[in-house]
């Protein structure tokens, strides 16, 4: 397979609550086959941790867009504090639909890519707007917290009683997820040295929001109707591979594929030996290629009409572009990837590969 040249860019936007969020993209130099929107896992981020994913998919011809959730990575907000899980879903929805509405992308297929907790985000994005997405790639999705790492029911009950009193307290007892998730010791150490990754104890409200979200998803798997590829390591002790099997069995969509990898852990794309990572990405790219090769399948979702910009503000040199004239919203243009003139964003970094 011929690898394409691509550009990497970073920017800042503001969400509907006025919080500054970091976003990045890997875009092929030629017209992309389709758009892929990243949903990263709990405590993770896009620019470094998901860099390999962005590079590989862009080299295969896909435009890849990522955003650090509020409180995660380079985004503002209390570190890894999730007040409402719906805030994450709504922020991703606003930004990713905004990207999809831009002139150069309006006719492109739209795929979600979620890892771990990001798998839950992707599924909830689908449920929020079922006819918008062409498909989803779910890597070890958090549809249920594994019993091997979930706190005891007595502990959960006690914590629920005080969540509104001490929501940000880092008091949730958990095992070391990095040790449990990433098999390759060298890659594990690189992840541990990534200062953008939150490695403290989970905050009380955050842990309970994740638990409730996974439980709700577990009960509504039959409502999933979009095409999907779910991938899971059979030796994963962070998210339960059995729930990926349940997702595959219960989802209503006809186009569904499951890949189970014997002996692999939770970090399929970032924590396994290189040969295993190559295998996983080959499966992902092949699945995307098959679905983007059939133009008819890409026309079955809701077409883009106009620009969805109501909840997205670009930031220029730390100042929202809405701060001077509230009535005007940023307009998507064909120069959005060509420098500071593209939508008025604060460009942090840009490089060609």
């Amino acid at each position: 397979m011929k690898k394409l040249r691509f550009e990497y860019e970073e920017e800042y936007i503001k969400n509907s609550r006025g919080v500054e969020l970091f976003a990045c993209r890997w875009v092929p130099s030629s017209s992309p086959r389709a758009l892929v929107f990243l949903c990263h896992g709990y405590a993770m981020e896009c620019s470094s941790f998901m860099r390999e994913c962005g590079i590989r998919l862009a080299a295969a011809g896909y435009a890849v867009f990522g955003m650090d959730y509020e409180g995660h990575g380079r985004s503002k907000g209390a570190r890894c504090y999730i007040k409402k899980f719906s805030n994450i879903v709504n922020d991703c929805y606003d930004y990713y639909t905004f990207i999809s509405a831009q002139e150069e992308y309006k006719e492109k297929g739209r795929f979600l890519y979620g890892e771990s907790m990001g798998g839950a985000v992707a599924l909830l994005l689908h449920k929020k707007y079922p006819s918008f997405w062409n498909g989803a790639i779910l890597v070890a999705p958090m549809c249920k917290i594994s019993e091997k790492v979930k706190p005891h029911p007595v502990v959960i009950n006690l914590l629920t009683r005080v969540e509104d009193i001490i929501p940000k307290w880092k008091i949730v007892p958990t095992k070391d997820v990095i040790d449990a998730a990433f098999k390759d010791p060298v890659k594990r150490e690189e992840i541990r040295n990534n200062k953008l990754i939150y490695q403290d104890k989970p905050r009380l409200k955050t842990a309970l929001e994740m638990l409730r979200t996974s439980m709700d998803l577990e009960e509504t798997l039959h409502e999933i109707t979009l095409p999907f590829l779910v991938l899971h390591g059979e030796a994963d002790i962070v998210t339960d591979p059995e729930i990926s099997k349940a997702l595959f069995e219960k989802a209503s969509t006809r186009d569904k594929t499951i890949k189970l990898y014997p002996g692999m852990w939770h970090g399929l794309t970032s924590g396994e030996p290189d040969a295993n990572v190559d295998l996983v990405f080959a499966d992902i790219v092949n699945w995307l290629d098959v679905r983007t090769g059939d133009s008819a399948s890409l026309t079955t979702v809701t077409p883009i009409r106009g620009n969805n910009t109501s909840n997205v503000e670009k930031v220029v040199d730390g100042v929202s572009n809405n701060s001077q004239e509230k009535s005007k919203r940023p307009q998507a243009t064909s120069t959005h990837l060509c420098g500071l003139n593209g939508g008025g964003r604060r460009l942090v970094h840009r490089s060609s590969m």
Side-chain angles (χ1 to χ4, degrees):
M1 179 185 71
K2 181 181 179 181
K3 292 185 178 181
L4 303 179
R5 289 180 59 83
F6 60 89
E7 290 186 344
Y8 172 71
E9 293 186 2
E10 301 175 349
E11 64 182 346
Y12 282 92
I13 61 172
K14 280 193 176 182
N15 64 17
S16 60
R17 300 176 301 284
V19 179
E20 190 170 300
L21 304 180
F22 171 84
C24 58
R25 62 185 70 187
W26 295 261
V27 181
S29 54
S30 58
S31 180
R33 294 174 62 100
L35 314 180
V36 178
F37 298 101
L38 304 181
C39 302
H40 66 73
Y42 165 73
M44 299 301 175
E45 49 84 34
C46 288
S47 61
S48 296
F49 179 75
M50 300 196 76
R51 179 174 179 270
E52 183 80 6
C53 179
I55 289 175
R56 287 184 182 247
L57 295 184
Y62 297 92
V64 184
F65 302 85
M67 184 189 74
D68 292 352
Y69 311 141
E70 180 176 340
H72 287 69
R74 301 187 192 182
S75 292
K76 303 297 184 181
R79 289 284 283 160
C80 270
Y81 174 55
I82 302 175
K83 184 178 181 179
K84 295 180 180 179
F85 205 89
S86 60
N87 286 345
I88 292 177
V89 176
N90 291 336
D91 288 347
C92 288
Y93 173 82
D94 288 342
Y95 183 56
Y96 291 162
T97 55
F98 169 77
I99 294 294
S100 300
Q102 294 179 12
E103 192 62 36
E104 66 266 44
Y105 298 137
K106 289 170 68 172
E107 303 301 322
K108 300 296 182 180
R110 309 181 288 268
F111 293 87
L112 296 165
Y113 177 105
E115 291 192 357
S116 195
M117 186 188 83
V121 175
L123 290 175
L124 290 173
L125 281 168
H126 159 60
K127 293 178 70 175
K128 183 178 177 70
Y129 198 163
S131 64
F132 189 79
W133 312 101
N134 292 96
I137 298 157
L138 308 168
V139 183
M142 187 198 78
C143 300
K144 174 183 177 181
I145 302 295
S146 173
E147 298 297 330
K148 299 173 184 177
V149 297
K150 186 168 69 175
H152 191 277
V154 174
V155 177
I156 295 174
N157 182 57
L158 176 62
L159 296 179
T160 301
R161 295 185 179 188
V162 297
E163 67 174 303
D164 292 327
I165 302 173
I166 49 173
K168 295 183 181 180
W169 275 31
K170 306 171 186 178
I171 62 174
V172 180
T174 59
K175 298 178 181 179
D176 189 315
V177 175
I178 291 180
D179 277 350
F182 305 101
K183 181 192 296 183
D184 187 288
V186 175
K187 295 178 181 179
R188 184 190 307 151
E189 194 61 25
E190 290 176 353
I191 291 167
R192 199 177 294 283
N193 290 332
N194 184 343
K195 301 304 180 184
L196 295 175
I197 294 176
Y198 180 81
Q199 298 176 45
D200 207 341
K201 290 182 179 179
R203 299 178 188 272
L204 175 55
K205 189 78 169 181
T206 297
L208 291 174
E209 281 293 299
M210 291 171 63
L211 179 61
R212 292 176 186 131
T213 298
S214 66
M215 292 173 65
D216 288 344
L217 277 173
E218 186 181 4
E219 295 298 319
T220 58
L221 295 179
H222 62 282
E223 297 178 3
I224 305 303
T225 58
L226 88 169
F228 67 81
L229 166 67
V230 59
L231 312 99
H232 221 125
E234 290 188 341
D236 188 346
I237 62 171
V238 177
T239 56
D240 196 335
E242 289 301 316
I243 204 64
S244 281
K245 296 177 184 178
L247 168 63
F248 176 76
E249 293 168 358
K250 295 180 181 180
S252 298
T253 181
R254 295 180 180 179
D255 182 2
K256 50 187 176 180
T257 305
I258 187 169
K259 293 277 187 177
L260 299 174
Y261 301 95
M264 292 197 198
W265 292 15
H266 183 67
L268 291 177
T269 63
S270 53
E272 289 288 322
D274 289 346
N276 289 352
V277 173
D278 289 343
L279 173 62
V280 172
F281 274 115
D283 289 338
I284 291 171
V285 170
N286 179 68
W287 187 86
L288 282 170
D289 286 350
V290 169
R291 278 140 194 88
T292 56
D294 179 9
S295 59
S297 67
L298 296 178
T299 62
T300 59
V301 298
T302 302
I304 296 291
R305 295 186 178 90
N307 294 329
N308 180 4
T309 62
S310 59
N311 290 318
V312 175
E313 298 179 18
K314 295 301 179 78
V315 177
V316 182
D317 294 331
V319 179
S320 166
N321 66 311
N322 263 20
S323 61
Q324 296 180 357
E325 192 172 353
K326 291 288 184 180
S327 62
K328 291 186 178 181
R329 297 288 179 179
Q331 297 297 312
T333 72
S334 61
T335 61
H336 190 74
L337 295 178
C338 300
L340 287 171
N341 292 327
R345 67 191 182 282
R346 173 153 64 93
L347 189 65
V348 181
H349 178 71
R350 181 174 183 231
S351 62
S352 296
M353 297 184 183

